[in-house]
């Protein structure tokens, strides 16, 4: 084995120790042995302990209790969360399966580690004990007081709807992201410091069993799903269905995912879920900003934020401007048909396709996207002309002079108008020689017109080569969402694995899946790095043999 290969393996093993606490071989055994081993339980217990969620839950529970009297529960909060996370790693968090682990698989040392004071009980007893333990947690995190064992009438649904608690919903967001962040923090520091701050954001459906409910704000219809507060999901449009049988019962999860430092460079940084929140399908009013804010609690770096057109169609004060003020640069997409050519105008500046240009830009360039999708074939331009118009816009574009400040003010510099042809687009496209009164333009979120511009403002010119490279990076968040749902992992895509109902249970299942997925992503990233130098097969074959004392033999020197 060459010195380069030896160094790669040594670096890999040291980073595995930093991320997991084990060498690669030890980590594989600890994960594979299952709950019959104390080490397997501790692997997940360390994540729960590092997250701080138990302290939060105990604090909230104490605030709800009238006194400290009463018998202590057999399964404490910490034990319930460790068991839940551990089974999420196998894609099976049904109460019966966790009860089977408690009844027949856990060794006595694991009971002691979990703080469970008895090992006695049959399967049904352990089922009820765990059910009670987890439901004590869910009661603290459920936004609604709603039964989960009956179909609600319209009147019962209205009563449940009125019990909404923002405080409990905020608690659930905190718990979800604490678990996601704890696993992401396992990333070795040498890799962590290379992060450039790029993220992608998208929502994904988490399906439920049963029939879909009517829309969540339809208070005059009964509920047809035992998860009464869930909504109907459709693949079309904004994904909010109307309760038809062709819709699916679901919740929708916003996920913020780290993406590579440069387009196509998947070796530069792993894909990690760093911000999550859950809402009814299509209800994206507040969720995206919440998820991004949780990401910023984990990372200080600000790069590009990549989203689809659902997000730049939100109201500017709910997403676009706050994320600008955080320091992100945006890469948006547009629904090209039936869009206004000019998105806003202030003084000598107009906004077209998400970028700022001088108002004297030729009308054909202003209307390029509009004319490319024109309904009248006589006025529609071909693709070659469209591309040429987009390239010609660059000479009229204002360039930014940095990032927005804490108040959202951002400075731009005007182009050199002496080198381009300018026109008065109001008076029959008349040629003019404009004189600028100032060399810079400051965009501030202090007027309705400015917020109209900020709604679609992005870093790259629309459909430029740079835009295509970065916009394509958004597919990583979709791939990561599928990774979360994959069979053989947390299996979040199979609703039969998540039989218990309710917002809090589903959100906790998503949080656990995210934590497990992040750990898997980190290990896979480390393995890919060493496999680029020495194959996994060679690494295993050469390093398998030992001497009579059990020590690994030295690698033979290659000539």
């Amino acid at each position: 084995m060459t010195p380069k290969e030896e160094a790669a393996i040594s670096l890999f093993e040291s980073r595995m120790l930093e991320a997991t606490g084990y060498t690669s071989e030890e980590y594989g055994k600890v994960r594979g042995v299952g709950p019959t081993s104390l080490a397997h339980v501790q692997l997940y217990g360390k994540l729960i302990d590092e997250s701080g969620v138990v302290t939060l839950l105990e604090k909230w529970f104490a605030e709800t209790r009238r006194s400290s009297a009463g018998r202590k529960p057999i399964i404490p909060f910490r034990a319930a969360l460790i068991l839940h996370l551990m089974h999420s790693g196998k894609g099976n968090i049904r109460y019966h399966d966790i009860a089977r682990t408690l009844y027949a698989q856990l060794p006595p040392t694991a009971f002691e580690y979990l703080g469970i004071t008895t090992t006695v009980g049959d399967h049904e007893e352990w089922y009820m004990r765990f059910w009670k333990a987890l439901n004590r947690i869910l009661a603290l995190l459920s936004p609604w007081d709603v039964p989960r064992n009956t179909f609600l009438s319209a009147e019962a649904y209205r009563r449940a709807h009125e019990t909404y608690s923002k405080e409990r919903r905020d608690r659930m967001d905190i718990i979800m992201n604490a678990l996601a962040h704890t696993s992401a923090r396992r990333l070795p520091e040498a890799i962590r410091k290379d992060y450039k701050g790029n993220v992608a954001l998208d929502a994904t459906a988490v399906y439920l069993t049963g029939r879909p409910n009517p829309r969540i704000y339809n208070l005059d219809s009964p509920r047809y799903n035992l998860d009464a507060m869930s909504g109907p999901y459709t693949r079309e449009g904004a994904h909010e269905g109307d309760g038809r049988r062709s819709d699916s019962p679901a919740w929708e999860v916003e996920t913020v995912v780290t993406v590579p430092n440069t387009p196509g460079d998947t070796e530069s940084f792993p894909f990690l879920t760093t911000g999550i929140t859950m809402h009814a399908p299509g209800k994206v009013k507040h969720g995206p900003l919440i998820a991004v804010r949780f990401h910023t609690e984990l990372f200080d770096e600000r790069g590009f934020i990549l989203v689809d057109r659902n997000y730049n169609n939100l109201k500017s004060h709910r997403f676009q401007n706050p994320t600008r003020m955080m320091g992100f640069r945006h890469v948006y997409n547009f629904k090209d048909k039936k869009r206004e050519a000019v998105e806003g105008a202030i003084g000598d500046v107009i906004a077209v396709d998400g970028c700022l240009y001088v108002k004297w830009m030729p009308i054909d360039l202003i209307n390029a996207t509009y004319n490319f999708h024109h309904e009248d074939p006589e006025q529609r331009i071909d693709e070659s002309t469209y591309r040429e118009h987009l390239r010609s816009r660059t000479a009229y574009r204002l360039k930014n002079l940095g990032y927005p400040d804490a108040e959202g003010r951002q400075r731009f510099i005007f182009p050199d108008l002496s080198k381009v042809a300018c026109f008065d687009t109001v008076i029959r496209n008349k040629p003019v020689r404009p004189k600028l009164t100032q060399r810079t333009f400051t965009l501030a979120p202090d007027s309705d017109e400015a917020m109209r511009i900020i709604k679609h403002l992005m870093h790259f010119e629309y459909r430029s080569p740079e835009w295509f490279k970065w916009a394509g990076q958004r597919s990583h968040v979709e791939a990561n969402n599928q990774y979360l749902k994959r069979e053989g992992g947390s299996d979040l895509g199979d609703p039969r694995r998540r039989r218990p109902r309710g917002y809090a249970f589903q959100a906790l299942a998503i949080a656990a899946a995210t934590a497990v997925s992040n750990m898997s992503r980190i290990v896979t990233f480390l393995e890919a790095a060493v496999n680029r130098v020495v194959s996994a097969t060679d690494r295993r074959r050469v390093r398998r043999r030992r001497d009579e004392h059990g020590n690994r033999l030295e690698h033979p020197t290659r000539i």
Side-chain angles (χ1 to χ4, degrees):
M1 181 164 286
T2 67
K4 181 179 179 181
E5 291 171 329
E6 286 279 9
I9 293 172
S10 177
L11 179 63
F12 166 63
E13 293 295 357
S14 68
R15 287 181 171 175
M16 280 294 295
L17 282 168
E18 186 179 351
T20 68
Y22 298 100
T23 65
S24 59
E25 184 175 7
E26 291 170 343
Y27 182 70
K29 286 183 176 180
V30 168
R31 285 203 66 200
V33 73
T36 57
S37 163
L38 172 62
H40 183 85
V41 180
Q42 290 174 327
L43 183 69
Y44 298 93
K46 289 174 183 177
L47 284 172
I48 294 297
D49 291 342
E50 291 169 13
S51 71
V53 297
V54 175
T55 301
L56 289 171
L57 289 170
E58 289 175 344
K59 172 179 174 291
W60 296 331
F61 183 69
E63 292 171 353
T64 63
R65 297 191 68 187
R66 295 181 178 178
S67 73
S68 58
R71 187 173 60 180
K72 289 186 178 181
I74 292 176
I75 301 179
F77 286 158
R78 176 175 175 270
L81 289 172
I82 293 172
L83 290 164
H84 187 273
L85 184 64
M86 183 171 69
H87 284 76
S88 181
K90 295 294 184 181
N92 196 349
I93 51 176
R94 291 178 294 194
Y95 292 146
H96 276 293
D97 295 284
I98 297 175
R100 187 180 301 114
T101 295
L102 289 161
Y103 170 60
Q105 294 180 291
L106 281 186
T109 52
F111 279 97
E112 183 179 354
Y113 173 76
L114 292 171
I116 301 175
T117 55
T118 181
T119 61
V120 178
D122 60 22
H123 182 273
E124 283 303 310
E125 286 176 310
W126 283 115
Y127 178 98
M128 291 307 301
R129 289 166 181 171
F130 182 78
W131 183 91
K132 290 177 181 177
L134 195 65
N135 275 270
R136 281 194 296 272
I137 294 173
L138 300 182
L140 298 171
L141 306 175
S142 177
W144 299 275
D145 297 326
V146 55
R148 289 172 283 147
N149 59 353
T150 186
F151 298 101
L152 299 192
S153 65
E155 182 180 355
Y157 178 65
R158 284 194 295 271
R159 288 198 302 268
H161 207 272
E162 292 170 357
T163 65
Y164 175 76
S165 168
K166 184 177 184 301
E167 179 184 10
R168 293 201 297 266
R169 189 165 192 168
D170 289 344
R171 288 176 182 175
M172 188 73 254
D173 285 336
I174 291 170
I175 296 297
M176 291 176 75
N177 286 277
L179 291 174
H181 289 184
T182 299
S183 55
R185 288 193 182 99
R186 292 291 190 89
L187 187 68
E189 181 59 28
I191 300 171
R192 163 68 183 81
K193 68 181 180 62
D194 290 334
Y195 180 53
K196 302 301 182 185
N198 302 317
V199 297
L201 170 66
D202 197 19
T204 187
V206 176
Y207 296 107
L208 309 172
T209 57
R211 285 183 58 185
N213 286 319
R215 291 183 174 179
I216 62 171
Y217 292 123
N218 180 353
L219 304 181
D220 298 321
S221 296
R223 303 293 103 178
Y224 303 119
N225 194 287
L226 289 173
D227 195 335
M229 313 313 287
S230 67
Y233 179 87
T234 178
R235 296 287 301 172
E236 306 299 323
H239 304 309
E240 182 185 18
D242 55 13
R244 298 179 184 179
R245 285 187 176 270
S246 58
D247 294 336
S248 301
W251 292 98
E252 203 168 19
V253 182
E254 300 284 345
T255 59
V256 177
V257 176
T258 57
V259 297
N261 295 330
T262 55
D265 185 11
T266 57
E267 300 174 8
S268 62
F269 202 78
F271 305 110
L272 301 175
T273 306
T274 54
I276 45 177
T277 190
M278 193 172 85
H279 52 74
K283 301 303 181 183
V284 296
K285 184 184 294 185
H286 305 294
L289 184 57
I290 292 171
V292 174
R293 280 179 172 157
F294 275 109
H295 165 84
T296 62
E297 293 180 5
L298 184 63
F299 290 108
D300 294 328
E301 295 83 359
R302 302 289 182 269
F304 297 111
I305 185 167
L306 320 170
V307 294
D308 65 22
R309 59 197 183 201
N310 281 338
Y311 296 90
N312 54 302
N313 282 324
L314 293 171
K315 291 186 177 181
S316 303
H317 69 276
R318 287 187 175 139
F319 180 74
Q320 297 90 324
N321 194 54
T323 50
R324 280 180 68 251
M325 294 170 68
M326 293 176 192
F328 287 104
R329 293 164 289 173
H330 298 76
V331 180
Y332 292 130
N333 202 349
F334 302 114
K335 185 175 182 179
D336 291 322
K337 295 183 179 180
K338 298 181 180 179
R339 288 183 63 239
E340 294 182 11
V342 177
E343 296 155 348
I346 298 176
D348 296 332
V349 177
I350 59 173
V352 179
D353 287 340
C355 288
L356 302 185
Y357 300 92
V358 293
K359 68 180 182 181
W360 303 286
M361 186 165 65
I363 194 68
D364 288 346
L365 305 189
I366 294 174
N367 292 333
T369 299
Y370 178 82
N371 288 337
F372 182 60
H373 295 281
H374 207 290
E375 295 179 355
D376 185 354
E378 296 295 325
Q379 299 187 50
R380 189 183 307 147
I381 60 175
D382 59 34
E383 186 169 351
S384 176
T385 303
Y386 179 47
R387 290 180 179 177
E388 181 59 36
H389 284 350
L390 294 182
R391 285 192 294 268
S392 299
R393 283 178 177 175
T394 303
Y396 299 88
R397 185 189 176 193
L398 280 71
K399 296 181 180 180
N400 70 71
L401 291 176
Y403 298 94
D405 61 21
E407 297 178 351
R409 299 168 61 86
Q410 186 174 8
R411 293 176 66 230
F412 296 81
I413 187 170
F414 281 96
D416 185 354
L417 298 182
S418 66
K419 297 181 179 180
V420 295
C422 294
F423 299 88
D424 186 335
T425 56
V426 177
I427 309 175
R428 298 180 183 178
N429 217 18
K430 177 184 175 181
V432 294
R433 297 187 62 120
K435 292 184 179 180
L436 295 170
T437 58
Q438 53 187 15
R439 289 296 300 155
T440 62
F441 168 77
T442 299
L443 179 65
D446 55 6
S447 68
D448 291 343
E449 192 68 6
M451 295 299 278
R452 281 188 62 205
I453 292 173
I454 289 170
K455 184 180 179 72
H456 300 296
L457 187 67
M458 62 179 174
H459 188 74
F460 300 114
E461 284 189 289
Y462 186 47
R463 293 185 172 272
S464 66
E466 294 82 4
W467 180 88
F468 274 111
K469 288 177 184 178
W470 282 101
Q473 294 284 90
R474 198 189 65 80
S475 63
H476 291 309
V477 68
E478 296 175 342
N480 189 73
N481 289 339
Q482 293 306 311
Y483 187 85
L484 272 175
K485 300 177 183 180
R486 76 195 190 286
E487 185 180 1
S490 59
D491 209 1
L492 198 61
D494 186 353
R496 295 170 299 179
R497 300 279 189 170
R498 293 175 281 104
R499 289 287 184 178
R501 296 168 287 273
Y503 176 95
F505 180 87
Q506 299 299 326
L508 189 61
I510 291 160
T514 300
V516 171
S517 173
N518 279 346
M519 281 301 303
S520 178
R521 286 290 206 182
I522 291 171
V523 171
T524 300
F525 184 81
L526 299 179
E527 289 176 339
V530 69
N531 289 344
R532 287 192 291 271
V533 180
V534 54
S535 73
T537 302
D538 289 342
R539 181 157 43 91
R540 288 193 298 268
R541 182 183 300 122
V542 174
R543 294 175 63 82
R544 184 183 303 137
R545 299 182 62 190
R546 303 174 185 267
D547 62 19
E548 66 273 18
H549 303 294
N551 300 314
R552 295 237 183 236
L553 294 175
E554 293 290 332
H555 296 291
T557 303
R558 294 183 182 179
I559 301 176

